Structures are given as structure tokens and as C-alpha cells.
Amino acid sequence: MNNAMDTVLFYVLALIVIIAACGIVYCKNLVHSALFMTLCFISIAGLYVLLNADFLAAVQLMVYAGTVVILIALGIMMTRRISMDRSNMAERKYTGWVKCISVVLFICLSYIFINFPVPLAKVNTVQDTVAALAQLLLGHYVLAFEIAAVLLLAAMIGAVVLAKGADDK
Amino acid sequence: MNIGLTQFLVLSAALFCIGLYGILVKRNLFSILMCIELMLNGVNISLAAFNYFLPMPDLSGQVMMIFSITVAAAEVAIGLALIFRIYHDFNTVNIDKINNMKG
């Protein structure tokens, strides 16, 4: 994270992420928002590669850019019967106030992050991230790992029951 | 200029605030779900940056990201099932029209 190439890459990826996030919010067509979400998540995977988290970049590509976006696009197409134009309009009444709140929150957070920097020591350099993650997940964090598995099972059963309808036989 | 922790944290704050704006201003359930994903990704970026730049002996930040992604996947599954249920009952996905407590 020291040479000029990384700096240029970070700024290009950050610009793409911000533009795609604004595209998600500002697009009038819901399907275009879902496609912008893919672009945003792929550039975030690039940022993870810059941060030496290559396994997480692969997970981001598979889970977010692949599965989540496709599920949401499928849901949009299943629930929308008429045309897709103007399907993602903002509420006019509150736009000004909400914009105000978000910008004030962003300014406060940026002020804190810029003016009170965390004291840095040596940059962490674990080379083999997959092996180190596996050691942590099945060693120190094994209980949380099992609970996450139970959470996924509960989510699967809950999704099936909710979508099928528990009350209609 | 070197890229440090500050730039990543400002980027994650920007993503979080864009997602917050979308949640508060949108009226379609699917766009609200997309904006929640955006906020979760902002938090994930900050976790990865902390894990890279702080002097940690191991990859605990990336393990937290794995758990966060797991919870987000479960949340998307449950959220989509709820949206289908609401669409089945109310025949709309606009939250302004879902104001009937009796269902």
C-alpha cells in the first residue's frame, strides 16, 4: 500500500464505488439499480484485494455480486407486473430533510476520521490468508462458527415457511 | 500521498451515508433491501481496513467480515421471503400502501 500504483487503484475503485452507490439510490428504474449494485460490489471486491484480503474478495464476488444481486433482481421481476419505468421513485416530501441528515452524518464522521487518526504501528502482513482464516475459524472462533451454521439453518427454514405460507394448507 | 486508514474509513462512511439516505427516502421494499446491503458493505470495508492497518497478530477482522457476510445472506433470504409474503397478501411492495394491521 505504498507505491503510486496502489494509490491510483484505490482512488479509481473508490470513485467507481461511490458513483455506483449513487446510481443505486438515484436510478428511476429498479433493474438499473440492481445492476449498479453488481458494479458496486465488484469494485468493493477490488478494494479487498488491495487490503490483502483475497479470500474475502472471492467471497464478496460469490455471495454479494453473484447471489444477492441475482436474488433481488429475480424478486423484482416476480413482483412487478407493469412496466419498470419510474419503479424506484424517492419520496418527495422527505428528500430535503433526509439529504440534510445524511450529509451532516457524513461530515461528522469524516471530521472524526480525519482529525483523530488512529495511531498506526507496523502493517499486518499475513501472506496465506486462507490457511490463517481456517485456523481462526475452526480454532478460536469455533463456537461462533457453529452458531452461524445454526443461524443459516434457521434462516433457510424460516424463508421456506414464510414464502410458502404456514397457514394455507 | 500514501493511502492510509483514514481514506478507507471516509469511503466506508460515504457508503454508509448513501445507504442511510436510500433507506429513509425510498418507498419500494426492494430498494430498501439493496440500501441495507450497501450499508453492510460500508461496515465490511472498515473492518477489512482495520484488519490491514492496525497491528494485529492474526486475521480476526476478516473473521468478523465472514460472520457479517453470513448474517447478511440470512437477512436477504428472510427479507425476500417476507417481501413475497407481503406481495401475496397486499398485492404491492410499496410501503406507503402497507398500513393495515389486520393483514
Side-chain angles (χ1 to χ4, degrees), chain A residues 125-142:
Chain A
T125 49
V126 178
Q127 283 306 320
D128 191 4
T129 35
V130 180
L133 276 176
Q135 290 283 345
L136 271 179
L137 266 183
L138 293 177
H140 189 237
Y141 292 101
V142 65

Side-chain angles (χ1 to χ4, degrees), chain A residues 71 151-168, chain B residues 73-85 88:
Chain A
L71 271 179
L151 170 76
L152 280 179
L153 178 70
M156 189 179 75
I157 296 172
V160 168
V161 168
L162 275 173
K164 181 173 162 291
D167 46 348
D168 39 57
Chain B
E75 174 243 324
V76 165
I78 293 291
L80 278 175
L82 273 175
I83 293 175
F84 284 144
R85 192 74 191 144
H88 180 259

